[in-house]
């Protein structure tokens, strides 16, 4: 069994203790994960503070060169990373390879980013400049659905902006981040990037730590609220990308056969374990029967299983706690609606859940109003467009949403009425490093990706210059 170590102050170190990492496909132990204690966190913060002083002095080009060297090393070890992802997260190997590729794409995008000082105004009396400077030590707290991608798209903009960063992966999916740590140790100056693992117990110490200037967190809304409360003691900056219950509204002018595959893919990507997955499908009465039938066919034909096996298209739910939660939603759906695909969870080791589709269900049912974060899609009937827009908006979440229509002008009008940070038309879950990703309502705060997301890792400084006492230049 491979031995993994934490990265603190540029050195790979043993943990204070260790926990098992479980393969969600069969519940076997993949590896032991080293776990840091609070003393190690303090050491990581101290080394990050020291590293920050010299790292911030480098040019954007110099910092970008380190990131490019790291992504090149990831590419050299791409297959190893992909297999690690499948073993710890569960996604099929082809999707794991895609995650490795997208992790490089996101990191390389930020490696080319720069920030120019701006002159707000200038006249004979003076000049006003707007600068952006690094914050200091940043903490990145990552979830278990895309562990490598999210670690890298937090590391890259943070260090590119001149900060040092401490990454804490989820306890159930730490291995790809720890393998990344081995590459980082050979590439980056000591302390610029540290990677610590825990057993879900270091979060409060990170979010309240006076030596950490910002927390970038991706995860659930309840955890995000706890981080926000804990961070208030130091008023540290926060970027919180939290839960979503994305609604899709299918208008009456579409052909079910044409849109079914796109909707299906957006709902069941990574077995539904995506914050911006399509999670509630509202379909007009006139095409309801046809679209239910098409999506049920796709779900019933899908092959779910161990991601390392040939032919498997969808992997397991990632961990026992989430598996139990998804199973409870399925049981509730059986009571409140009619299952037309899946619904029967095998009694065997592993967290395999068949892709499940439920129809004839209404708002008010748990699987519609809440976020299952698993392979289950409720399809809800509607007849009045204004009413269904209000129903789609009747949620504490506001991460994403989509409108499906053969008339783009009509779809655009509906999209303007959806209360979410992103609205897609005739697609869902489309994103990229250059596209700002801003949540609404209780789906979070701040922005990730794009220029706006890059700026989240900086502080604005205004320099206001008076020329009243300046000496003329001769």
């Amino acid at each position: 069994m491979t031995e993994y170590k934490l990265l603190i102050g540029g050195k790979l170190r043993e943990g204070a203790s260790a926990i098992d990492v479980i393969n969600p496909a069969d519940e076997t132990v993949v590896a032991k994960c080293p776990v840091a204690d609070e003393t190690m966190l303090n050491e990581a913060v101290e080394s990050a503070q020291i590293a920050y002083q010299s790292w911030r002095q480098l040019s954007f080009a110099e910092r970008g060169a380190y990131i490019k060297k790291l992504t090149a090393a990831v590419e050299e070890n791409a297959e190893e990373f992909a297999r690690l992802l499948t073993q710890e997260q569960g996604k099929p190997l082809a999707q794991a390879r895609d995650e490795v590729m997208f992790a490089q794409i996101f990191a390389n995008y930020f490696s080319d980013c720069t920030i120019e000082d701006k002159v707000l105004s200038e006249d004979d009396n003076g000049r006003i400049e707007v600068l952006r400077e690094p914050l200091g030590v940043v903490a990145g707290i990552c979830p278990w659905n895309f562990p490598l991608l999210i670690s890298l798209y937090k590391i890259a903009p943070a260090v590119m902006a001149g900060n040092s960063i401490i990454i804490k992966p989820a306890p159930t999916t730490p291995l790809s981040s720890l393998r990344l740590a081995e590459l980082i140790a050979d590439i980056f100056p000591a302390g610029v990037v540290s990677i610590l693992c825990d057993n879900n117990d270091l979060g409060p110490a990170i979010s309240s730590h006076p030596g950490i200037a910002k927390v970038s967190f991706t995860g659930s809304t309840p955890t995000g609220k706890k981080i926000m409360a804990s961070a208030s003691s130091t008023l540290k900056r926060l970027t919180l990308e939290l839960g979503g219950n994305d609604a899709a509204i299918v208008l009456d002018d579409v052909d079910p056969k044409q849109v079914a595959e796109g909707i299906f893919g957006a709902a069941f990507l990574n077995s539904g374990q995506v914050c911006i997955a399509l999670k509630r499908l509202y379909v007009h009465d006139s095409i309801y029967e046809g679209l239910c039938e098409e999506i049920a066919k796709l779900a019933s034909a899908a092959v779910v299983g161990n991601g390392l096996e040939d032919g498997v298209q969808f992997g397991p739910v990632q961990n026992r706690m989430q598996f139990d939660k998804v199973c409870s939603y399925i049981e509730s759906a059986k009571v409140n609606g009619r299952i037309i695909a899946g619904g029967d969870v095998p009694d065997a080791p592993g967290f395999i859940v068949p892709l499940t589709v439920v129809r004839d269900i209404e708002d008010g049912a748990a699987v519609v109003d809440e976020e299952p974060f698993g392979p289950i899609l409720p399809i809800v009937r509607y007849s009045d467009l204004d009413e269904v827009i209000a129903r789609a908006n009747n949620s504490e979440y506001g991460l994403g949403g989509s409108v499906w229509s053969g008339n783009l002008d009509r779809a655009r009008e509906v999209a303007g009425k959806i209360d979410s940070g992103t609205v897609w038309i005739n697609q869902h879950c489309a994103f990229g490093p250059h596209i700002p990703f801003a949540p609404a309502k209780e789906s979070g705060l701040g922005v990730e990706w794009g220029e706006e997301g890059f700026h989240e890792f900086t502080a604005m400084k205004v320099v206001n210059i008076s020329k009243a006492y300046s000496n003329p230049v001769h």
Side-chain angles (χ1 to χ4, degrees):
M1 189 174 292
T2 303
E3 181 180 358
Y4 293 91
K5 295 184 178 180
L6 308 171
L7 177 60
I8 302 173
K11 296 180 180 179
L12 296 171
R13 294 175 47 181
E14 304 281 349
S17 58
I19 57 174
D20 290 338
V21 178
I22 303 298
N23 185 330
D26 56 16
E27 298 183 71
T28 58
V29 176
V30 179
K32 293 281 187 180
C33 169
V35 171
D37 58 19
E38 201 162 332
T39 298
M40 291 177 168
L41 170 63
N42 291 333
E43 291 174 10
V45 173
E46 183 179 359
S47 67
Q49 290 173 323
I50 294 170
Y52 165 69
Q53 298 304 323
S54 54
W55 180 256
R56 67 176 301 185
Q57 303 301 324
L58 299 183
S59 68
F60 285 107
E62 289 171 323
R63 294 196 290 257
Y66 282 98
I67 297 172
K68 287 183 170 69
K69 190 172 182 181
L70 177 59
T71 58
V74 170
E75 174 61 27
E76 291 175 4
N77 297 275
E79 187 64 15
E80 179 186 356
F81 275 107
R83 289 187 170 274
L84 268 181
L85 285 169
T86 296
Q87 291 177 77
E88 66 176 349
Q89 200 282 328
K91 64 190 61 178
L93 192 55
Q95 294 176 31
R97 290 172 180 142
D98 285 344
E99 180 174 342
V100 177
M101 176 186 67
F102 280 114
Q104 296 170 67
I105 290 171
F106 269 76
N108 282 331
Y109 168 83
F110 287 108
S111 72
D112 291 323
C113 287
T114 60
I115 300 175
E116 300 291 335
D117 296 343
K118 295 182 179 179
V119 177
L120 190 63
S121 64
E122 184 170 16
D123 55 28
D124 292 340
N125 297 317
R127 184 172 70 251
I128 301 174
E129 301 172 355
V130 179
L131 318 179
R132 286 199 167 271
E133 298 186 337
L135 295 166
V137 181
V138 172
I141 302 178
C142 304
W144 45 255
N145 54 344
F146 293 95
L148 181 65
L149 171 62
I150 295 176
S151 288
L152 266 173
Y153 79 52
K154 291 186 188 297
I155 291 170
V159 301
M160 195 63 193
N163 306 288
S164 53
I165 187 168
I166 299 167
I167 288 288
K168 187 189 84 65
T172 57
T173 55
L175 302 183
S176 54
S177 295
L178 292 175
R179 181 66 182 97
L180 188 67
E182 296 172 6
L183 303 181
I184 290 169
D186 291 334
I187 294 171
F188 278 82
V192 174
V193 182
S194 294
I195 296 183
L196 302 181
C197 299
D198 73 342
N199 194 15
N200 271 334
D201 53 1
L202 277 184
I206 290 173
S207 55
S208 63
H209 201 294
I212 294 175
K214 173 186 172 71
V215 172
S216 175
F217 169 73
T218 302
S220 72
T221 293
T223 302
K225 290 179 178 180
K226 292 177 182 178
I227 289 172
M228 193 171 186
S230 181
S232 67
S233 62
T234 56
L235 287 179
K236 56 173 51 67
R237 272 67 168 179
L238 294 174
T239 299
L240 304 176
E241 194 265 277
L242 307 178
N245 192 13
D246 289 16
I249 299 176
V250 184
L251 304 190
D252 57 4
D253 57 8
V254 303
D255 180 347
K257 291 183 182 295
Q258 290 183 342
V259 301
E261 190 169 341
I263 289 171
F264 170 80
F268 293 108
L269 175 66
N270 200 27
S271 293
Q273 299 168 114
V274 183
C275 57
I276 52 173
L278 192 163
K279 298 187 177 78
R280 295 178 285 155
L281 183 62
Y282 292 95
V283 181
H284 191 270
D285 185 74
S286 64
I287 57 171
Y288 187 81
E289 297 293 336
L291 192 51
C292 284
E293 181 181 351
E294 293 299 324
I295 292 176
K297 284 180 184 177
L298 293 168
S300 297
V303 180
V304 185
N306 188 325
L308 289 176
E309 295 177 0
D310 291 340
V312 169
Q313 299 168 306
F314 296 89
V317 173
Q318 200 280 317
N319 57 76
R320 167 63 67 180
M321 182 181 297
Q322 191 62 27
F323 173 77
D324 291 342
K325 180 180 177 182
V326 171
C327 289
S328 71
Y329 278 112
I330 291 175
E331 292 307 308
S332 174
K334 290 177 179 178
V335 174
N336 293 287
R338 179 157 66 92
I339 301 291
I340 54 175
D344 295 321
V345 179
D347 183 14
F351 310 132
I352 305 296
V353 177
L355 306 192
T356 300
V357 181
V358 56
R359 59 168 289 172
D360 301 331
I361 195 162
E362 299 291 338
D363 295 348
V367 74
V368 179
D369 290 1
E370 300 173 16
E371 181 189 24
F373 211 72
I376 178 169
L377 177 67
I379 307 180
V380 186
R381 188 192 304 262
Y382 80 90
S383 57
D384 182 270
L385 183 56
D386 289 334
E387 180 190 33
V388 79
I389 292 170
R391 290 161 63 189
N393 288 336
N394 185 26
S395 172
E396 67 269 28
Y397 295 113
L399 203 56
S402 60
V403 182
W404 301 74
S405 174
N407 185 324
L408 293 183
D409 291 336
R410 188 179 178 211
R412 178 63 183 83
E413 183 180 355
V414 174
K417 299 176 182 178
I418 302 297
D419 296 338
S420 62
T422 298
V423 185
W424 295 277
I425 294 176
N426 293 335
Q427 59 181 352
H428 195 111
C429 210
F431 59 90
H434 61 297
I435 305 171
F437 184 48
K441 298 191 277 189
E442 291 191 16
S443 285
L445 55 86
V447 181
E448 290 194 300
W449 316 334
E451 180 183 31
E452 294 84 354
F454 185 40
H455 286 179
E456 290 266 327
F457 289 95
T458 67
M460 180 184 291
K461 175 186 283 187
V462 176
V463 179
N464 200 324
I465 304 167
S466 170
K467 296 181 180 178
Y469 306 109
S470 61
N471 295 319
V473 177
H474 296 289

